[in-house]
Amino acid sequence: MHKIMTGTIASAAGVALLLGGAGSFALWNAEASSAATGVRSGTLTLTALDDGAWTDITNGRTDTIDPAKVLMVPGNTYRFTQTLVVGATGKDMRAQLTYAPQSITGDQGLIAATTRTLEVTSSSAGLRKTSDTVFEVTPAEGRSTVRVVFTIALPESATTGQGGSVDVGALAFTLTQTAIGS
């Protein structure tokens, strides 16, 4: 009995010694601050430099028109021309420029019968056409101007949309940044 009691006391004393030192064990560490400054984000903006103008270019015409006052018939082609300003700050900035399809409203049959194209030119931004209505823009650091030419036509073969209307008065353009790796 005496041996069992002595062994139990010795075991308890060993555990107590081990636990007593658990709170005082520490690894060395140190820290230092750096002289680095903050990181800021760039910007991407699109604004109209002018109001733009509509022209009837059917059969070589160059008549300025108000699209709210003309009646489009099969074979007509109308063109909208406007200068936009792309503001861009930051390295590796690229964006897709297109027109906003939802900004053209009206009779869905007539809208579906029309063809729509977009041309973009610039002397201060890099451009690459990716579809009939989308351009990849690589603007210069700061500010670039682009000229957009939107064309809407009702082909001579159109058989739908008679008596309908297409509202292009709220035509809008969008600029959406593209991922760096794309």
Side-chain angles (χ1 to χ4, degrees), residues 2-92:
H2 181 40
K3 286 184 185 182
I4 293 176
M5 183 63 102
T6 305
T8 301
I9 292 173
S11 295
V15 169
L17 286 173
L18 287 174
L19 289 177
S24 63
F25 178 74
L27 295 174
W28 291 356
N29 63 54
E31 62 182 64
S33 62
S34 69
T37 61
V39 176
R40 296 183 352 219
S41 63
T43 60
L44 181 65
T45 60
L46 183 66
T47 55
L49 188 62
D50 57 45
D51 290 337
W54 282 97
T55 309
D56 180 352
I57 60 170
T58 305
N59 294 327
R61 290 191 288 246
T62 58
D63 302 333
T64 300
I65 61 167
D66 177 352
K69 295 181 180 177
V70 296
L71 297 175
M72 181 180 256
V73 298
N76 282 144
T77 303
Y78 301 146
R79 178 177 65 200
F80 179 74
T81 306
Q82 186 174 37
T83 302
L84 304 173
V85 177
V86 176
T89 58
K91 189 175 179 179
D92 300 319

Side-chain angles (χ1 to χ4, degrees), residues 26-168:
L27 295 174
W28 291 356
N29 63 54
E31 62 182 64
S33 62
S34 69
T37 61
V39 176
R40 296 183 352 219
S41 63
T43 60
L44 181 65
T45 60
L46 183 66
T47 55
L49 188 62
D50 57 45
D51 290 337
W54 282 97
T55 309
D56 180 352
I57 60 170
T58 305
N59 294 327
R61 290 191 288 246
T62 58
D63 302 333
T64 300
I65 61 167
D66 177 352
K69 295 181 180 177
V70 296
L71 297 175
M72 181 180 256
V73 298
N76 282 144
T77 303
Y78 301 146
R79 178 177 65 200
F80 179 74
T81 306
Q82 186 174 37
T83 302
L84 304 173
V85 177
V86 176
T89 58
K91 189 175 179 179
D92 300 319
M93 188 65 76
R94 286 183 300 140
Q96 289 187 338
L97 175 65
T98 189
Y99 78 96
Q102 68 275 14
S103 67
I104 298 174
T105 59
D107 179 78
Q108 291 303 308
L110 183 55
I111 292 171
T114 63
T115 59
R116 296 163 302 279
T117 59
L118 180 66
E119 291 299 323
V120 180
T121 58
S122 178
S123 61
S124 57
L127 298 172
R128 183 174 66 90
K129 188 173 187 173
T130 60
S131 77
D132 283 345
T133 59
V134 179
F135 280 78
E136 181 179 85
V137 179
T138 306
E141 178 74 24
R143 178 182 154 140
S144 297
T145 57
V146 295
R147 182 175 183 253
V148 293
V149 178
F150 173 80
T151 304
I152 186 167
L154 185 59
E156 289 183 8
S157 60
T159 58
T160 61
Q162 184 172 230
S165 66
V166 175
D167 185 358
V168 292

